[in-house]
Amino acid sequence: MSTASKTTSFPTNIILTAGLSILYVVIAIWAYSLVTTYLLPQKENHSQSVTALVDGTVLINHSIWHPNYSDSYYTTLENEKYQIKQYEFFSNGISLIGEPQYFYENNQSSTRSISISSFLGKEQKPHNWYFIYNSKFHSTGYFVAYHRSSKQIIHYLGQKGFQNSVPVREEQFPIYGTALDLKSKILIVDENYYGWSTYATIPQVTSNQNFQRDDLFRDSGLLLTREGTVLQINFLTGKVTPFLERNDILDMTLSRLRKDQFPENWTTSDRDEELVVSFRTPNAVLTYGLQTEKSFQVTIPEELRTKDFTLHYFQEEELLYEVGERDPKVGKYTTDLYWSNYGGTISQFNDDQIVHYYPQDFDSIKWMLASIQPAPLTFLSFMLIAPVQEFKQAYELSTTEAVMKLFQMSLPVVALLLVISIGLLFHYRSFAKHKNVNSHWWEYGFILLMGPFAYLILRWSLKSQPELTPQTQRNNSIEILRPLLKPVS
């Protein structure tokens, strides 16, 4: 009679099942990419964004992309084509957040590990600099310098300057440790700054650089603390001093402004542009010129004081505030424009200038995930991890609330996958019974959680023994009797 035996152990089954589920994901994504790229008609992607010229002209930048062609052009707010002239210059918009605690809380990392941001040191003795902090909402951090050749720690740098050991928590820099990077907290540049990155490298003290640069960042950087203070850090001497005599700074960013964008009483000598740091307070934006070491301030209109915006400086002391508004209930993202003067008086308003609709239909996403991972356990793992951050931002929920909402939305899919798993479980039980193999309780639980992946691996592990024919039975009998048939000597 034919019997069956299990040829693999439980740990082996787990490894093989995990490998099969990963392989299935790779194949499914590859097949989906192949079908959407080569078999389905390609849609044209048309994106729009607000841009502006220094003279105050506000334009819409159109970018069109298709696998077979691409295009880019500008239109006015009246939807008329606009050709950029050679003497016209774009305004570098200054993006600033209005509520740091809310912003960072909704962008906090899902991990609670140590995070490290690196800076390339270019002092006379080459060092590698790092800023080390915890990936949590209320965090503290400190700098550490390594010798580039020996890989030895040179010194640590906290609020009390250089130290020979890790600064205690009270002497570290308090920050929000949940942002995607430190670009809004630490400003460090060198002579190669072009306005595209917020910080680049720690400055180098050479006569060549001193000739090229003679400003605040010749040997220092700025750090914005969680408490709203801005500290100036000298990376050559280790000295840490307050940069502004105030503790209400919400955000800061580095940019370049052309001389036409400064107030009338601002002097930039013969320079066409100047490197500036803009600091946002609850009701104003303070702009500090690094070369001239002068500053000027504009008042934020009252209705924009809690909003994130991008600020454009125009000629004749005119300002443009670009505000993005999201409506997660209908999946709409709009851009509103506010024209204002330095005193905060709005002279013109244009709402819903650009309207983008983005899908917030997570029903389609969950069914897509179920097709990629058709097992209850792996589906829940994907569903409850991947879109949590999007849910938090779109619906202004906490992490726990977002997870619970996703779980509730996932219940219909989980129920269906469980029904499929139960069907596979009974089919496996019937197959094992047919093979005269006793199934174990862990096999049922394994199939219930891992669905078709566990079913395929467990069924594959049931290997039938070769069936005994009458001839093999006779030969076996002869082999058993052979000692008895041996002649007596």
Side-chain angles (χ1 to χ4, degrees):
M1 184 177 181
S2 175
T3 60
S5 63
K6 292 183 175 64
T7 59
T8 54
S9 64
F10 180 50
T12 303
N13 287 331
I14 293 179
I15 295 174
L16 292 175
T17 302
L20 180 62
S21 63
I22 294 173
L23 178 63
Y24 179 79
V25 170
V26 173
I27 294 175
I29 294 177
W30 174 79
Y32 173 80
S33 176
L34 191 67
V35 170
T36 55
T37 303
Y38 297 103
L39 300 182
L40 297 180
Q42 299 294 308
K43 295 182 179 180
E44 181 181 271
N45 183 11
H46 185 177
S47 64
Q48 305 172 55
S49 60
V50 174
T51 188
L53 303 179
V54 173
D55 62 6
T57 304
V58 182
L59 303 173
I60 306 298
N61 181 14
H62 298 259
S63 296
I64 299 177
W65 181 89
H66 189 274
N68 299 326
Y69 61 87
S70 62
D71 190 16
S72 178
Y73 61 92
Y74 298 93
T75 61
T76 64
L77 296 182
E78 291 74 29
N79 203 29
E80 298 178 355
K81 284 265 184 117
Y82 190 93
Q83 185 67 37
I84 304 297
K85 302 174 182 60
Q86 186 176 3
Y87 58 85
E88 293 179 321
F89 298 95
F90 286 100
S91 166
N92 293 322
I94 300 172
S95 298
L96 297 164
I97 62 175
E99 296 180 320
Q101 182 162 336
Y102 172 79
F103 175 82
Y104 293 122
E105 188 174 15
N106 283 274
N107 286 278
Q108 59 181 312
S109 172
S110 59
T111 63
R112 290 295 180 268
S113 59
I114 299 298
S115 298
I116 300 176
S117 290
S118 61
F119 305 88
L120 177 61
K122 297 196 303 182
E123 303 91 337
Q124 290 174 325
K125 295 181 179 179
H127 298 161
N128 286 330
W129 281 86
Y130 300 92
F131 186 77
I132 302 175
Y133 62 101
N134 292 317
S135 296
K136 58 183 181 180
F137 188 54
H138 291 90
S139 181
T140 59
Y142 58 91
F143 293 93
V144 59
Y146 286 82
H147 192 276
R148 197 174 301 174
S149 301
S150 65
K151 309 300 181 184
Q152 298 295 315
I153 295 178
I154 306 301
H155 42 233
Y156 300 89
L157 198 160
Q159 292 198 64
K160 292 190 175 181
F162 289 146
Q163 297 180 218
N164 295 324
S165 59
V166 176
V168 297
R169 183 178 178 84
E170 291 73 19
E171 296 177 0
Q172 297 179 14
F173 301 102
I175 63 168
Y176 291 113
T178 59
L180 301 179
D181 51 47
L182 294 176
K183 288 185 177 181
S184 61
K185 305 168 190 171
I186 303 175
L187 299 182
I188 304 172
V189 296
D190 65 2
E191 69 274 13
N192 297 316
Y193 174 78
Y194 292 103
W196 295 104
S197 59
T198 309
Y199 58 77
T201 58
I202 291 175
Q204 178 182 13
V205 177
T206 63
S207 57
N208 182 40
Q209 185 178 4
N210 285 338
F211 175 77
Q212 295 181 16
R213 292 282 301 276
D214 186 19
D215 56 45
L216 169 69
F217 284 161
R218 183 178 63 251
D219 52 14
S220 299
L222 300 180
L223 185 145
L224 174 60
T225 71
R226 189 176 66 240
E227 300 164 348
T229 59
V230 178
L231 301 177
Q232 181 175 350
I233 303 171
N234 190 310
F235 291 96
L236 302 180
T237 64
K239 187 177 181 181
V240 179
T241 56
F243 181 71
L244 298 174
E245 296 297 332
R246 54 195 310 168
N247 57 0
D248 60 347
I249 304 300
L250 305 177
D251 194 15
M252 67 179 183
T253 190
L254 195 67
S255 63
R256 288 186 184 274
L257 293 181
R258 297 189 59 81
K259 58 184 180 181
D260 295 339
Q261 297 175 277
F262 289 107
E264 292 182 359
N265 60 351
W266 190 280
T267 56
T268 57
S269 66
D270 58 347
R271 289 187 295 270
D272 291 331
E273 60 181 18
E274 184 165 346
L275 196 62
V276 301
V277 182
S278 293
F279 303 94
R280 178 170 179 176
T281 69
N283 55 13
V285 175
L286 174 67
T287 298
Y288 183 92
L290 298 182
Q291 276 93 358
T292 59
E293 297 188 6
K294 293 177 59 179
S295 63
F296 67 95
Q297 181 172 295
V298 301
T299 301
I300 301 173
E302 188 172 352
E303 49 264 69
L304 303 181
R305 291 180 182 177
T306 60
K307 298 181 182 295
D308 304 339
F309 56 69
T310 298
L311 175 61
H312 296 270
Y313 288 99
F314 292 152
Q315 297 173 353
E316 299 179 358
E317 300 187 6
E318 186 180 23
L319 306 172
L320 174 69
Y321 294 88
E322 179 186 343
V323 181
E325 297 285 351
R326 299 181 65 179
D327 188 347
K329 295 182 180 180
V330 298
K332 184 174 73 171
Y333 182 92
T334 63
T335 300
D336 300 334
L337 303 178
Y338 299 81
W339 284 261
S340 172
N341 58 18
Y342 279 21
T345 302
I346 294 178
S347 58
Q348 186 180 348
F349 170 62
N350 191 328
D351 65 334
D352 295 351
Q353 178 58 47
I354 295 178
V355 179
H356 293 294
Y357 286 90
Y358 53 93
Q360 282 295 326
D361 184 13
F362 283 92
D363 286 334
S364 60
I365 294 179
K366 67 187 181 185
W367 289 110
M368 181 185 70
L369 287 177
S371 65
I372 294 178
Q373 280 293 339
L377 182 61
T378 54
F379 166 77
L380 276 178
S381 300
F382 272 65
M383 192 65 189
L384 297 181
I385 294 176
V388 167
Q389 291 298 325
E390 296 181 25
F391 247 73
K392 288 177 57 180
Q393 295 180 15
Y395 295 96
E396 300 182 3
L397 301 174
S398 65
T399 301
T400 303
E401 292 171 340
V403 169
M404 291 303 299
K405 187 174 182 65
L406 282 170
F407 181 75
Q408 293 173 1
M409 294 182 65
S410 304
L411 284 179
V413 183
V414 175
L416 177 61
L417 295 180
L418 284 175
V419 170
I420 296 173
S421 294
I422 292 172
L424 294 173
L425 184 153
F426 279 104
H427 192 275
Y428 171 79
R429 182 171 178 268
S430 175
F431 180 81
K433 185 177 180 181
H434 176 71
K435 293 293 185 179
N436 293 326
V437 175
N438 293 324
S439 301
H440 300 288
W441 64 269
W442 62 262
E443 295 175 316
Y444 298 151
F446 196 35
I447 293 177
L448 203 63
L449 293 176
M450 293 301 293
F453 305 122
Y455 169 79
L456 291 174
I457 294 299
L458 288 173
R459 178 165 174 169
W460 170 81
S461 69
L462 297 177
K463 295 293 185 180
S464 297
Q465 297 290 345
E467 188 175 347
L468 294 178
T469 63
Q471 178 66 29
T472 56
Q473 291 178 3
R474 188 178 65 83
N475 292 340
N476 289 341
S477 300
I478 293 174
E479 291 299 324
I480 294 173
L481 294 174
R482 189 175 295 280
L484 301 177
L485 300 176
K486 188 176 183 181
V488 179
S489 55

